Amino acid sequence: MTEKLAIGIDIGGTNTVTGLVDAQGRMQGERSFKTKAYPYFDDYVERLVQDIESLRRTRPDAALAGIGIGAPNGNYFSGVAENPINIRWYEHAADGSQGAQILTVPFVETVRKHYPALPVVVDNDANAAAIGEMIYGGARGMRDFIEITLGTGLGGGIVANGEMVYGQGGTAGELGHVTVRPGGRRCGCGRRGCLETYVSATGIVRTMLEILADDPRPSKLRSVAVECLDSRMIAEAALDGDEAARAAFEMTGRILGEALANFVAFSFPEAIFLFGGLAKSGDLLWEPTKRHMEANLLRNYKGRVKLLPSGIDGANAAVLGASALVWKELRKLESR
Amino acid sequence: MTEKLAIGIDIGGTNTVTGLVDAQGRMQGERSFKTKAYPYFDDYVERLVQDIESLRRTRPDAALAGIGIGAPNGNYFSGVAENPINIRWYEHAADGSQGAQILTVPFVETVRKHYPALPVVVDNDANAAAIGEMIYGGARGMRDFIEITLGTGLGGGIVANGEMVYGQGGTAGELGHVTVRPGGRRCGCGRRGCLETYVSATGIVRTMLEILADDPRPSKLRSVAVECLDSRMIAEAALDGDEAARAAFEMTGRILGEALANFVAFSFPEAIFLFGGLAKSGDLLWEPTKRHMEANLLRNYKGRVKLLPSGIDGANAAVLGASALVWKELRKLESR
């Protein structure tokens, strides 16, 4: 029987990475280009198709099963991305000059024109990570789990009864915008106190600055220009024993652990997976998060929810997640 | 064709009410007795069976479709209630005297002995209310909604993708125990700051006392003994223009509205239904809840989630909810 392979596309503000992935989540080949090199959306899709075709030619023995796209604000129901963060595409005006910015980006419709016979699906990054976890990763066989992606922001993908929780409009699971401190830090969404203003690569920098403002102890991070401070420096300083940096991880873990305890009261998952850069800070983040989560859990949940690192392979995780959308879609089509 | 009717049983600390209900949610007959009159669990179940049989005899033309039981801490998966709040049952000791208290109450197993051919299911009150809403009430045709029950405490029932969210152990949806004020009011669960310590019939009394302690304005509620103050008095005073009582509703609505906005970020439901006594305070609670929910919603959710009173008939609502468990179970069995 001809082997089937899925295309996974991770659309980021910097790079667009396309991968050819087998049903076990093994990467068979990868292509990438700079997203900003194609400011016109039709040119961008043409380039995507070139990369897909180039990958397809490397495995003439196999057949494409479908195309999965992980994009900021990608919506599984409508097939579009509304105002994808940090990415702008334009139309060609009639005279060939730059036309209007495309605010609702029609990924599925446009890619499907090139592949009318294949399933083409889009979803946001966190849902793609959750589906990757379910198909290839640590959530195989689980019917109830939560995926938390920790990057510049914080994303959530919730699976209940074996199905993604999309809600009425495809945009459930905005866990980065749960209010954890009413009246707290300003968020890019226009509100205050959102979880991601505390727990994310940018959130921990804000916490670090507050601690340096409040705590007179010496810290090597005081010599860094404010605009240069990043989560990796804080992690390195903490590992070197810098007390202020350790306090920043403690506070981050506290707020994340408290929030996770609330998420458990909602959907009582078997496990919560942490995915992405900040999740790799190891015990620095892990230990306080777990401690505060357990301390805040309602009695009948205590000790029953696993906190786990994502089981999807690091460097290619976002592409693998996007490719998993294809296998999930095929399962859904088969079960009808 | 013989009409099928469901038995719904609402088990409360004071009364146990059994109803015979048709598939459209119309009550065909009702029996009730004092729960505490039967301290031995086997006697209690015998009495339940008497009531079921008495109801069955009123409709010899119809057939029983099944038995649904709504009980505090009822667990759909295991068929038991763990430590049901405010209710104690005992075993008969070998010598006929009072034996051990039954901490894990085996509702399904015990009732099924009498009705081996029928579906017998138990669930907690809030999930039964949610399923009642889905089968007979305002959520008919909705795939994503949240039911909030407001009584002595606050309960939650979450439906996503048309299915109850039970989580790994049947006890998801403990929305009364989401922490809304870290370090806040003591809760019966042993933690602090739980939603139900603010938003419930008892929560609003605590709020009222805090306001009377803090705010020097006159209030007719100052003449009431502290232990006598209840949510109905606060509602009456507020309707009479008592400013302090109005402030208590404003604060209750504020905390509920903020919490609902967070729940929306989780599952983006079509609607949130408020069920139970306090939900009937009308605009007193409704107006501030809606205002604070909308003010706290993330932009893409604003104006898209309905806040609605339960569509299940008042006096019998808990029995109707319990009976709906039967129709839901039959749908599930049929879809297999």
Side-chain angles (χ1 to χ4, degrees), chain B residues 121-137:
Chain B
V121 287
V122 70
D123 211 329
N124 70 52
D125 320 53
N127 287 350
I131 291 174
E133 205 70 69
M134 178 161 42
I135 304 278
Y136 312 126

PDB file of all heavy atoms in Angstrom, chain B residues 121-137:
ATOM      1  N   VAL B 121     -28.835   6.155  36.174  1.00  0.00           N
ATOM      2  CA  VAL B 121     -27.652   7.020  36.175  1.00  0.00           C
ATOM      3  C   VAL B 121     -27.741   8.043  37.288  1.00  0.00           C
ATOM      4  O   VAL B 121     -28.824   8.476  37.679  1.00  0.00           O
ATOM      5  CB  VAL B 121     -27.462   7.759  34.834  1.00  0.00           C
ATOM      6  CG1 VAL B 121     -26.976   6.819  33.744  1.00  0.00           C
ATOM      7  CG2 VAL B 121     -28.735   8.450  34.386  1.00  0.00           C
ATOM      8  N   VAL B 122     -26.582   8.411  37.809  1.00  0.00           N
ATOM      9  CA  VAL B 122     -26.512   9.467  38.814  1.00  0.00           C
ATOM     10  C   VAL B 122     -25.575  10.546  38.283  1.00  0.00           C
ATOM     11  O   VAL B 122     -24.677  10.269  37.477  1.00  0.00           O
ATOM     12  CB  VAL B 122     -26.012   8.906  40.170  1.00  0.00           C
ATOM     13  CG1 VAL B 122     -24.545   8.506  40.117  1.00  0.00           C
ATOM     14  CG2 VAL B 122     -26.231   9.910  41.302  1.00  0.00           C
ATOM     15  N   ASP B 123     -25.795  11.769  38.703  1.00  0.00           N
ATOM     16  CA  ASP B 123     -24.863  12.851  38.388  1.00  0.00           C
ATOM     17  C   ASP B 123     -25.036  13.906  39.464  1.00  0.00           C
ATOM     18  O   ASP B 123     -25.964  13.835  40.276  1.00  0.00           O
ATOM     19  CB  ASP B 123     -25.146  13.417  36.989  1.00  0.00           C
ATOM     20  CG  ASP B 123     -23.878  13.936  36.300  1.00  0.00           C
ATOM     21  OD1 ASP B 123     -22.965  14.406  37.006  1.00  0.00           O
ATOM     22  OD2 ASP B 123     -23.819  13.867  35.064  1.00  0.00           O
ATOM     23  N   ASN B 124     -24.120  14.879  39.499  1.00  0.00           N
ATOM     24  CA  ASN B 124     -24.299  15.922  40.507  1.00  0.00           C
ATOM     25  C   ASN B 124     -25.363  16.920  40.049  1.00  0.00           C
ATOM     26  O   ASN B 124     -25.772  16.934  38.885  1.00  0.00           O
ATOM     27  CB  ASN B 124     -22.963  16.603  40.839  1.00  0.00           C
ATOM     28  CG  ASN B 124     -22.426  17.448  39.719  1.00  0.00           C
ATOM     29  OD1 ASN B 124     -23.127  18.294  39.185  1.00  0.00           O
ATOM     30  ND2 ASN B 124     -21.175  17.218  39.353  1.00  0.00           N
ATOM     31  N   ASP B 125     -25.817  17.743  40.966  1.00  0.00           N
ATOM     32  CA  ASP B 125     -26.945  18.639  40.705  1.00  0.00           C
ATOM     33  C   ASP B 125     -26.690  19.559  39.523  1.00  0.00           C
ATOM     34  O   ASP B 125     -27.577  19.794  38.700  1.00  0.00           O
ATOM     35  CB  ASP B 125     -27.224  19.533  41.927  1.00  0.00           C
ATOM     36  CG  ASP B 125     -27.097  18.803  43.243  1.00  0.00           C
ATOM     37  OD1 ASP B 125     -26.038  18.180  43.486  1.00  0.00           O
ATOM     38  OD2 ASP B 125     -28.037  18.873  44.043  1.00  0.00           O
ATOM     39  N   ALA B 126     -25.469  20.111  39.440  1.00  0.00           N
ATOM     40  CA  ALA B 126     -25.200  21.099  38.393  1.00  0.00           C
ATOM     41  C   ALA B 126     -25.165  20.436  37.023  1.00  0.00           C
ATOM     42  O   ALA B 126     -25.677  20.985  36.043  1.00  0.00           O
ATOM     43  CB  ALA B 126     -23.874  21.813  38.669  1.00  0.00           C
ATOM     44  N   ASN B 127     -24.582  19.236  36.934  1.00  0.00           N
ATOM     45  CA  ASN B 127     -24.578  18.542  35.651  1.00  0.00           C
ATOM     46  C   ASN B 127     -26.001  18.137  35.258  1.00  0.00           C
ATOM     47  O   ASN B 127     -26.366  18.216  34.084  1.00  0.00           O
ATOM     48  CB  ASN B 127     -23.677  17.303  35.704  1.00  0.00           C
ATOM     49  CG  ASN B 127     -22.203  17.662  35.725  1.00  0.00           C
ATOM     50  OD1 ASN B 127     -21.834  18.819  35.524  1.00  0.00           O
ATOM     51  ND2 ASN B 127     -21.358  16.679  35.976  1.00  0.00           N
ATOM     52  N   ALA B 128     -26.801  17.713  36.245  1.00  0.00           N
ATOM     53  CA  ALA B 128     -28.193  17.358  35.948  1.00  0.00           C
ATOM     54  C   ALA B 128     -28.937  18.589  35.429  1.00  0.00           C
ATOM     55  O   ALA B 128     -29.707  18.507  34.463  1.00  0.00           O
ATOM     56  CB  ALA B 128     -28.880  16.789  37.185  1.00  0.00           C
ATOM     57  N   ALA B 129     -28.685  19.746  36.027  1.00  0.00           N
ATOM     58  CA  ALA B 129     -29.325  20.980  35.552  1.00  0.00           C
ATOM     59  C   ALA B 129     -28.892  21.281  34.119  1.00  0.00           C
ATOM     60  O   ALA B 129     -29.709  21.669  33.274  1.00  0.00           O
ATOM     61  CB  ALA B 129     -28.982  22.149  36.470  1.00  0.00           C
ATOM     62  N   ALA B 130     -27.583  21.089  33.831  1.00  0.00           N
ATOM     63  CA  ALA B 130     -27.079  21.361  32.482  1.00  0.00           C
ATOM     64  C   ALA B 130     -27.741  20.431  31.467  1.00  0.00           C
ATOM     65  O   ALA B 130     -28.139  20.851  30.379  1.00  0.00           O
ATOM     66  CB  ALA B 130     -25.559  21.198  32.435  1.00  0.00           C
ATOM     67  N   ILE B 131     -27.866  19.165  31.832  1.00  0.00           N
ATOM     68  CA  ILE B 131     -28.467  18.212  30.894  1.00  0.00           C
ATOM     69  C   ILE B 131     -29.959  18.499  30.739  1.00  0.00           C
ATOM     70  O   ILE B 131     -30.514  18.413  29.638  1.00  0.00           O
ATOM     71  CB  ILE B 131     -28.147  16.762  31.338  1.00  0.00           C
ATOM     72  CG1 ILE B 131     -26.638  16.531  31.141  1.00  0.00           C
ATOM     73  CG2 ILE B 131     -28.966  15.741  30.546  1.00  0.00           C
ATOM     74  CD1 ILE B 131     -26.118  15.209  31.661  1.00  0.00           C
ATOM     75  N   GLY B 132     -30.615  18.907  31.824  1.00  0.00           N
ATOM     76  CA  GLY B 132     -32.008  19.352  31.710  1.00  0.00           C
ATOM     77  C   GLY B 132     -32.129  20.532  30.746  1.00  0.00           C
ATOM     78  O   GLY B 132     -33.032  20.576  29.903  1.00  0.00           O
ATOM     79  N   GLU B 133     -31.183  21.468  30.846  1.00  0.00           N
ATOM     80  CA  GLU B 133     -31.187  22.643  29.955  1.00  0.00           C
ATOM     81  C   GLU B 133     -31.042  22.205  28.501  1.00  0.00           C
ATOM     82  O   GLU B 133     -31.675  22.759  27.594  1.00  0.00           O
ATOM     83  CB  GLU B 133     -30.011  23.550  30.349  1.00  0.00           C
ATOM     84  CG  GLU B 133     -30.171  25.015  30.008  1.00  0.00           C
ATOM     85  CD  GLU B 133     -31.224  25.690  30.875  1.00  0.00           C
ATOM     86  OE1 GLU B 133     -31.011  25.860  32.096  1.00  0.00           O
ATOM     87  OE2 GLU B 133     -32.264  26.050  30.335  1.00  0.00           O
ATOM     88  N   MET B 134     -30.205  21.201  28.278  1.00  0.00           N
ATOM     89  CA  MET B 134     -29.913  20.723  26.923  1.00  0.00           C
ATOM     90  C   MET B 134     -31.096  19.963  26.331  1.00  0.00           C
ATOM     91  O   MET B 134     -31.381  20.061  25.142  1.00  0.00           O
ATOM     92  CB  MET B 134     -28.681  19.812  27.001  1.00  0.00           C
ATOM     93  CG  MET B 134     -28.258  19.180  25.703  1.00  0.00           C
ATOM     94  SD  MET B 134     -26.535  18.575  25.747  1.00  0.00           S
ATOM     95  CE  MET B 134     -26.429  17.834  27.362  1.00  0.00           C
ATOM     96  N   ILE B 135     -31.802  19.200  27.196  1.00  0.00           N
ATOM     97  CA  ILE B 135     -32.876  18.336  26.675  1.00  0.00           C
ATOM     98  C   ILE B 135     -34.220  19.070  26.620  1.00  0.00           C
ATOM     99  O   ILE B 135     -34.962  18.939  25.655  1.00  0.00           O
ATOM    100  CB  ILE B 135     -33.018  17.077  27.574  1.00  0.00           C
ATOM    101  CG1 ILE B 135     -31.693  16.316  27.680  1.00  0.00           C
ATOM    102  CG2 ILE B 135     -34.169  16.178  27.111  1.00  0.00           C
ATOM    103  CD1 ILE B 135     -31.381  15.394  26.549  1.00  0.00           C
ATOM    104  N   TYR B 136     -34.548  19.822  27.675  1.00  0.00           N
ATOM    105  CA  TYR B 136     -35.872  20.460  27.728  1.00  0.00           C
ATOM    106  C   TYR B 136     -35.808  21.986  27.708  1.00  0.00           C
ATOM    107  O   TYR B 136     -36.835  22.633  27.552  1.00  0.00           O
ATOM    108  CB  TYR B 136     -36.594  20.161  29.056  1.00  0.00           C
ATOM    109  CG  TYR B 136     -36.639  18.767  29.551  1.00  0.00           C
ATOM    110  CD1 TYR B 136     -36.201  18.474  30.847  1.00  0.00           C
ATOM    111  CD2 TYR B 136     -37.183  17.735  28.786  1.00  0.00           C
ATOM    112  CE1 TYR B 136     -36.296  17.205  31.371  1.00  0.00           C
ATOM    113  CE2 TYR B 136     -37.268  16.453  29.300  1.00  0.00           C
ATOM    114  CZ  TYR B 136     -36.834  16.187  30.588  1.00  0.00           C
ATOM    115  OH  TYR B 136     -36.929  14.937  31.109  1.00  0.00           O
ATOM    116  N   GLY B 137     -34.663  22.582  27.995  1.00  0.00           N
ATOM    117  CA  GLY B 137     -34.615  24.007  28.338  1.00  0.00           C
ATOM    118  C   GLY B 137     -34.070  24.908  27.250  1.00  0.00           C
ATOM    119  O   GLY B 137     -34.257  24.664  26.053  1.00  0.00           O
TER     120      GLY B 137
END
